[in-house]
Amino acid sequence: MHIQTIGLDLAKSVFQAHGVDDAGNTVLAKKLHRKQMIPFFSKLAPCLIGVEACGAAHYWARTLIAMGHEVRIMPPSYVKGYVKRGKSDALDAEAICEAVQRPTMRFVPVKTVEQQGILMAHRTRALLVRQRTMAANALRAHLAEFGFVANPGVANLVKLADQAFTDEVLPAYAHRALEILIRRMAELTEEIGELDQELRTWHEGSDVNRRLAAILGIGVITASAIAATVTDPDQFQSGRQFAAWLGLTPQQQSTGGKNRLGGISKQGDRYLRRLLVVGATAVMRHAKRKPTPLTDWVSRLLEKKPFRLVSVALANKLARIAWTLLKRGQIYRPYGLSA
């Protein structure tokens, strides 16, 4: 039995493998428990293994590559079309085996342990920022019920809380609730600062990060997130394809020679897309202070388009510039200026 290609349906405990030979005949249909995975594949001759992108996909890809196999990770949405009928692990493994052999299939580059660690820091930081925002909104809403209102901003909110503590209107149990919210906000702010310092340390030691951070609207956080996510810029044929992968391009619904473009697709990496849109928004808010050819382009768009639409268009442009730097390994020189 010579296995040419295997479709592996990953799971927590029970895995399903479907293998075919050179002629495409099924020669393997096996259920494997987690403890059987490494012994089974270590004894198997090197072959092509396809898996769907999921939480453990990169770990198993690195493990199987170390055994001499070739592993390709595919988006689940691209594999779904090869499922014949019904839903079972065996059918999913067969569909993965079929999809990985297609010459036009798109694959996800395997991430290293370091890159996954950096992305974990990013996701944790984003979670803590959301929790701090929730605590701040709760504190602001509770104070408003007692007539204490302040301008937006955490600094103004802290001053407002101090003013509420000195007021005799609030009962004792309201004071205790406010103390919990304020203490939680302080803890979250400290934890976010620690993660920011770790990301900044990794950023300073990476030449790719520093080149990306030179782009207007892309700072340390966005640059490190792009560098850790986009392991191979060659997987995209152009900057537009990279922007489309991020969900920053219009959704196309064309047929019969008629081109129809809808709204922004928002199909892609939500975290990177949000960072780029936030950075573009910051550039737009400071466009009048430091006029440049880029801000002039933004100003012309704002004369005829809504603010949010222009911010997404600018985020699209920033994504294309970032891909060009990753692809060519160049230093960012804005507006055609030489070094």
Side-chain angles (χ1 to χ4, degrees), residues 188-243:
L188 290 170
T189 301
E190 182 180 357
E191 292 166 352
I192 292 171
E194 293 175 357
L195 289 174
D196 286 342
Q197 184 58 43
E198 291 184 2
L199 293 174
R200 191 175 294 107
T201 301
W202 186 73
H203 166 82
E204 294 173 352
S206 172
D207 177 66
V208 175
N209 286 7
R210 293 195 300 270
R211 286 191 285 110
L212 288 174
I215 303 173
L216 187 65
I218 295 182
V220 174
I221 300 299
T222 307
S224 59
I226 293 176
T229 303
V230 185
T231 58
D232 182 15
D234 291 331
Q235 70 181 111
F236 306 104
Q237 297 179 0
S238 63
R240 188 189 186 284
Q241 192 178 86
F242 176 57

Side-chain angles (χ1 to χ4, degrees), residues 44-244:
L44 201 64
C47 61
L48 172 63
I49 301 176
V51 297
E52 286 183 324
C54 62
H58 294 278
Y59 163 75
W60 284 112
R62 290 192 300 266
T63 302
L64 296 173
I65 289 174
M67 299 177 186
H69 300 287
E70 181 184 359
V71 182
R72 295 179 181 176
I73 305 176
M74 298 168 290
S77 58
Y78 293 170
V79 179
K80 184 177 180 180
Y82 294 93
V83 179
K84 294 177 180 177
R85 179 179 292 182
K87 175 67 175 74
S88 68
D89 293 344
L91 291 173
D92 290 343
E94 183 181 0
I96 294 170
C97 184
E98 179 68 24
V100 76
Q101 301 178 72
R102 298 302 94 202
T104 58
M105 178 56 64
R106 296 179 181 177
F107 302 103
V108 180
V110 180
K111 291 182 174 61
T112 64
V113 176
E114 181 184 20
Q115 289 168 336
Q116 282 196 291
I118 291 299
L119 290 177
M120 177 183 256
H122 272 280
R123 297 300 191 270
T124 303
R125 180 186 182 277
L127 173 63
L128 296 181
V129 170
R130 289 198 300 271
Q131 291 179 345
R132 184 178 62 179
T133 303
M134 292 170 62
N137 290 340
L139 179 60
R140 186 180 295 276
H142 292 321
L143 291 176
E145 293 179 354
F146 291 94
F148 296 98
V149 180
N151 294 328
V154 177
N156 294 327
L157 185 59
V158 172
K159 294 179 182 179
L160 185 65
D162 293 339
Q163 179 184 351
F165 278 126
T166 59
D167 197 292
E168 297 180 356
V169 176
L170 295 181
Y173 34 83
H175 277 263
R176 286 193 293 272
L178 293 179
E179 288 175 357
I180 293 174
L181 289 175
I182 294 174
R183 184 169 63 251
R184 186 57 185 150
M185 287 176 57
E187 293 173 352
L188 290 170
T189 301
E190 182 180 357
E191 292 166 352
I192 292 171
E194 293 175 357
L195 289 174
D196 286 342
Q197 184 58 43
E198 291 184 2
L199 293 174
R200 191 175 294 107
T201 301
W202 186 73
H203 166 82
E204 294 173 352
S206 172
D207 177 66
V208 175
N209 286 7
R210 293 195 300 270
R211 286 191 285 110
L212 288 174
I215 303 173
L216 187 65
I218 295 182
V220 174
I221 300 299
T222 307
S224 59
I226 293 176
T229 303
V230 185
T231 58
D232 182 15
D234 291 331
Q235 70 181 111
F236 306 104
Q237 297 179 0
S238 63
R240 188 189 186 284
Q241 192 178 86
F242 176 57

Side-chain angles (χ1 to χ4, degrees), residues 268-315:
D269 194 308
R270 291 181 295 177
Y271 181 66
L272 281 183
R273 183 173 62 249
R274 182 171 69 250
L275 290 178
L276 287 170
V277 172
V278 170
T281 303
V283 172
M284 293 171 60
R285 294 191 182 281
H286 298 85
K288 296 182 179 180
R289 299 182 184 178
K290 296 181 180 180
T292 62
L294 180 63
T295 56
D296 291 342
W297 174 79
V298 170
S299 300
R300 290 194 298 271
L301 278 182
L302 285 173
E303 293 175 359
K304 49 187 178 181
K305 299 294 182 180
F307 183 90
R308 182 52 62 197
L309 189 149
V310 178
S311 67
V312 174
L314 180 55

Side-chain angles (χ1 to χ4, degrees), residues 37-45 64 67 69:
M37 284 284 290
I38 294 179
F40 176 78
F41 284 100
S42 61
K43 298 176 182 178
L44 201 64
L64 296 173
M67 299 177 186
H69 300 287

